[in-house]
Amino acid sequence: MTMQRRIAVLAAVTALSATLVTAAPALATPGMSSPTLRKEAPIDLHIGSASWGARDLTPYDPKNPTQYQQILSTQFNSITPENDMKWDATEPAPGVFDFTGADAVVRFAEANHMAVRGHNLLWHNQNPQWVMDAYKSWTCDQAKAVLKDHITTVVGHFKGKIYQWDVANEIFHDTWDPNAYDANGQLRLRTDQNPFLYACSSDPVGLLEDAFRWAHAADPNAVLFMNDYAVEGINTKTDAYYALAQKMLADGVPLGGFGAQGHLDLDYGFDNSLQANFERFAKLGLQVAITEADVRVRVDANGQPINPADVQRQADYYGRMLQACLNVPQCTSFTVWQYTDSKSWVPGVFPGKGYATPYTADYTPKPAYYTLRNLLAEATPGRSPRVPMGS
Ligand code: 9MR
């Protein structure tokens, strides 16, 4: 599609979304025959939502799902565990593994013919206290032994059940961090914040490469991702990821994908280099993905947009993210970070911001929802893949 055509389609879809919201209340309650995101999606794109197994999917009775569970399984065909596969959940004490919440996600997914996106194996947040207490005294070899055991056990537990794993999450510094750059002016890996990179700060790339190798050995079919925020467009951080990806691939590391989280905010402009960024990673032979999409809006005390026009602007941001993904056949998953405002992480963390997901807190689809669904439908006449398989 040409740029003009994309813009025209986006404008048409946006106008249509606005009409649908007001004119078709029946569509707001998806039944068996209503179109849904997962029904409209191309067969080569997973459309996902984060969900917290221990909180949102427990208990789960397939014959009597909650409204949240019913919409999740009807609209999406992929789930990312919002917190259940992180270190603090899966290995709360050394060598003691707990898969209660994560297994609830997998059970729900299997019951509803959904895929599971694993998240995550190496991150500077949500590490258990025992790791935070010990890591400063670890040698690099000790850190590697701990990480290898964790990755081997966790990835092995879910072998064959996870199609994409975020192996390395948020490993580079933000450009605005005080210590963002090294002596050579290169953006630094988070060797001061990530306990494992800290212990291996003399060779952090070696640790990362091993992490991917261990994950691959434990589940050769899972596509292994690096994932971060503020990496949608072409910028200093994505240049650093691009260079790291090239090095890993040259070293024969089983890196399979690059994920842009997509935590956007209407107070910032939309970065139109998203598609070009995805294309450069795809040209390396990697898959790409939008892994945690949401779009924050300025809200009042009731969580409603202060500026009514922001409802449509939000739909446009969602639409542009999805369109960039649809335009790159190697973009294999598009995931929202919870689909309803009632479960979103945003209000607790960004004062005065909210309304970030495609559904209101009382499960009414927003214009953003219709924009996503219409773009999926428009991209895939007859539900075909975006490119013929093997071409
Ligand atoms: O949504 C998650 C929230 O429930 C947790 O409290 C938070 C703690 O770090 O992590 C949130 O998820 C993050 C994700 O794992 C990585 N990218 C940023 C997400 C939002 O903070």
Side-chain angles (χ1 to χ4, degrees):
M1 238 191 307
T2 64
M3 180 64 83
Q4 285 80 354
R5 165 116 177 92
R6 273 202 304 279
I7 290 167
V9 167
L10 212 53
V13 164
T14 300
L16 184 61
S17 320
T19 319
L20 284 174
V21 175
T22 46
L27 288 175
T29 336
M32 290 303 283
S33 57
S34 313
T36 71
L37 299 175
R38 70 181 280 178
K39 280 197 237 168
E40 298 301 326
I43 61 174
D44 54 359
L45 175 70
H46 282 99
I47 183 91
S49 173
S51 187
W52 191 341
R55 185 192 67 183
D56 304 330
L57 305 177
T58 312
Y60 171 56
D61 175 359
K63 292 198 200 69
N64 190 22
T66 62
Q67 184 179 17
Y68 170 86
Q69 293 166 348
Q70 199 271 336
I71 295 174
L72 179 66
S73 64
T74 319
Q75 295 293 335
F76 300 92
N77 57 19
S78 172
I79 307 184
T80 303
E82 185 171 357
N83 288 299
D84 308 279
M85 289 187 188
K86 295 172 180 174
W87 264 82
D88 57 355
T90 53
E91 195 177 355
V96 178
F97 291 87
D98 182 348
F99 297 115
T100 318
D103 284 345
V105 172
V106 173
R107 247 193 327 273
F108 184 90
E110 285 178 345
N112 294 292
H113 309 288
M114 304 167 86
V116 180
R117 209 177 171 281
H119 174 82
N120 59 60
L121 300 169
L122 178 68
W123 191 25
H124 61 281
N125 283 329
Q126 287 179 277
N127 289 296
Q129 196 55 48
W130 67 270
V131 168
M132 298 316 286
D133 287 343
Y135 77 91
K136 285 198 172 154
S137 65
W138 286 340
T139 63
C140 180
D141 281 348
Q142 286 171 324
K144 282 187 176 178
V146 173
L147 186 62
K148 181 178 184 182
D149 183 59
H150 181 83
I151 288 179
T152 305
T153 307
V154 174
V155 177
H157 179 83
F158 297 107
K159 184 179 179 188
K161 300 182 172 191
I162 296 213
Y163 71 111
Q164 297 177 347
W165 258 114
D166 288 331
V167 175
N169 194 43
E170 303 173 6
I171 50 173
F172 276 107
H173 265 288
D174 287 311
T175 51
W176 54 84
D177 287 344
N179 52 350
Y181 297 96
D182 66 17
N184 301 319
Q186 300 297 308
L187 194 66
R188 291 176 53 208
L189 290 162
R190 290 187 196 261
T191 47
D192 51 343
Q193 294 172 328
N194 182 306
F196 300 93
L197 294 175
Y198 176 92
C200 293
S201 51
S202 57
D203 182 20
V205 173
L207 174 96
L208 292 168
E209 295 195 335
D210 281 346
F212 281 84
R213 292 189 182 107
W214 298 324
H216 183 67
D219 188 350
N221 290 325
V223 181
L224 306 180
F225 275 68
M226 302 196 284
N227 184 54
D228 210 330
Y229 60 86
V231 297
E232 286 69 39
I234 294 180
N235 57 37
T236 303
K237 206 178 192 182
T238 51
D239 285 349
Y241 272 105
Y242 187 70
L244 178 60
Q246 285 180 304
K247 164 151 180 63
M248 285 189 175
L249 294 171
D251 291 346
V253 173
L255 170 69
F258 177 73
Q261 293 179 1
H263 292 294
L264 305 188
D265 185 325
L266 287 187
D267 280 347
Y268 304 96
F270 185 89
D271 191 331
N272 281 316
S273 62
L274 171 55
Q275 184 178 331
N277 189 39
F278 272 1
E279 281 167 348
R280 69 172 170 164
F281 281 94
K283 281 200 192 102
L284 295 179
L286 299 178
Q287 295 186 17
V288 292
I290 299 283
T291 56
E292 306 183 12
D294 49 25
V295 181
R296 305 190 284 276
V297 175
R298 290 190 196 195
V299 293
D300 62 21
N302 299 319
Q304 296 311 301
I306 290 171
N307 179 356
D310 281 352
V311 174
Q312 196 52 53
R313 288 185 62 223
Q314 178 189 55
D316 293 345
Y317 274 45
Y318 267 106
R320 290 199 237 177
M321 260 196 285
L322 177 59
Q323 189 65 65
C325 175
L326 287 168
N327 289 348
V328 180
Q330 293 85 349
C331 185
T332 48
S333 63
F334 180 95
T335 297
V336 296
W337 207 239
Q338 288 283 7
Y339 72 83
T340 163
D341 290 344
S342 64
K343 308 276 189 187
S344 171
W345 69 293
V346 168
V349 177
F350 297 91
K353 296 280 170 80
Y355 198 79
T357 73
Y359 280 71
T360 63
D362 62 2
Y363 299 106
T364 305
K366 301 175 186 174
Y369 166 84
Y370 293 104
T371 295
L372 294 176
R373 201 183 71 193
N374 292 332
L375 285 174
L376 292 171
E378 188 270 341
T380 58
R383 314 293 177 269
S384 52
R386 284 162 289 168
V387 285
M389 293 300 182
S391 74

